[in-house]
Amino acid sequence: MRGKGNRIRIMPAGVLCLLLALPAVCAAEHPASEVQVDAGYIIPGGDLADGFEDTALGFGADPGFEVGFLWRYRFNRSWSLAPAFHFVKYSEFKGTDEIAGDYTVRATGYRYGLELRRSWGQGRGWRPFVMAGGGLFRNRVEGRDKVLLEPFDRSVSTLGYSLELGFRYGDVEFGVVAQTNRFSSWRFFQSDHEQDYNWDAVSLRFGWLIPGR
């Protein structure tokens, strides 16, 4: 139950604040909806970035990439809500063992969530924004576990959260996204109790807007 408590405590306060403010803006006229595709450079932290061979819970992941898309419903020119999907792939860890030989550890992730956004500015000029999101994060590891004896392919799903600061200019935008991705599990490495994992990451994300109409 400790992992559940951690997830509740790490929920960004910004999500709650934005949801409380949302009813006041829903009555206003809303412009066209939007479809957006994303690509980014993602930097792992926590146990993802820790050494695979010399730490108990590390995966040895290096920076990788993410791709995704979303559909954004705009309540007005300032507020919007978007269901979104992103796929994340970190750079692989490659190691060698006297018995197991050469091996590879791959860490990937799937993000299914909702993103609530507040934008400023008008027209197609510079428009800063802040986004708070949350949803289901599915974390997957392929390769070998710490014992290195058998092939390994396991996944764990958890609630995850994100906070983005960025700006839009015309049909393109750039943002910095902090992702909170923490969970408890006994599935990844052998243990007689659940281990607490930290898969937090930071992404430099580029987006391209396709107008809805």
Side-chain angles (χ1 to χ4, degrees):
M1 298 302 293
R2 179 173 49 181
K4 182 178 180 181
N6 287 340
R7 291 195 294 269
I8 294 175
R9 287 193 297 270
I10 62 177
M11 181 176 182
V15 176
L16 180 59
C17 294
L18 291 173
L19 288 175
L20 290 174
L22 188 58
V25 299
C26 287
E29 64 177 81
H30 62 85
S33 60
E34 300 172 341
V35 176
Q36 180 175 313
V37 293
D38 292 331
Y41 177 78
I42 190 164
I43 304 169
D47 300 310
L48 267 174
D50 287 345
F52 181 80
E53 297 175 322
D54 54 1
T55 64
L57 302 180
F59 292 86
D62 285 325
F65 70 88
E66 68 169 349
V67 293
F69 63 90
L70 58 87
W71 175 78
R72 180 178 294 114
Y73 179 83
R74 300 168 67 195
F75 297 100
N76 55 34
R77 295 185 181 278
S78 299
W79 291 90
S80 63
L81 183 67
F85 167 78
H86 290 88
F87 170 74
V88 174
K89 184 180 186 302
Y90 297 98
S91 296
E92 304 169 346
F93 171 78
K94 297 181 181 295
T96 300
D97 180 77
E98 294 181 356
I99 299 177
D102 296 337
Y103 64 92
T104 301
V105 179
R106 304 179 184 88
T108 56
Y110 302 86
R111 315 279 194 258
Y112 309 88
L114 287 174
E115 299 181 356
L116 183 61
R117 184 154 112 165
R118 173 67 163 95
S119 301
W120 290 267
Q122 300 291 333
R124 296 176 57 83
W126 296 97
R127 300 193 63 193
F129 65 84
V130 57
M131 180 277 290
L136 179 68
F137 285 19
R138 185 160 183 81
N139 305 308
R140 183 182 182 187
V141 178
E142 304 171 84
R144 301 279 178 158
D145 64 8
K146 298 292 186 178
V147 182
L148 303 177
L149 295 180
E150 297 180 356
F152 182 85
D153 186 348
R154 296 179 184 173
S155 300
V156 174
S157 296
T158 186
L159 293 177
Y161 308 97
S162 58
L163 180 67
E164 179 179 13
L165 299 176
F167 62 86
R168 173 185 292 184
Y169 184 79
D171 291 335
V172 298
E173 64 182 42
F174 176 81
V176 179
V177 188
Q179 301 182 7
T180 300
N181 182 5
R182 302 181 185 184
F183 55 94
S184 297
S185 177
W186 56 81
R187 290 180 56 81
F188 283 150
F189 302 133
Q190 292 184 357
S191 175
D192 58 358
H193 63 280
E194 285 190 329
Q195 302 277 11
D196 294 331
Y197 291 90
N198 177 343
W199 277 36
D200 292 356
V202 173
S203 176
L204 306 179
R205 184 179 291 175
F206 170 83
W208 178 56
L209 177 67
I210 304 174
R213 64 174 181 265

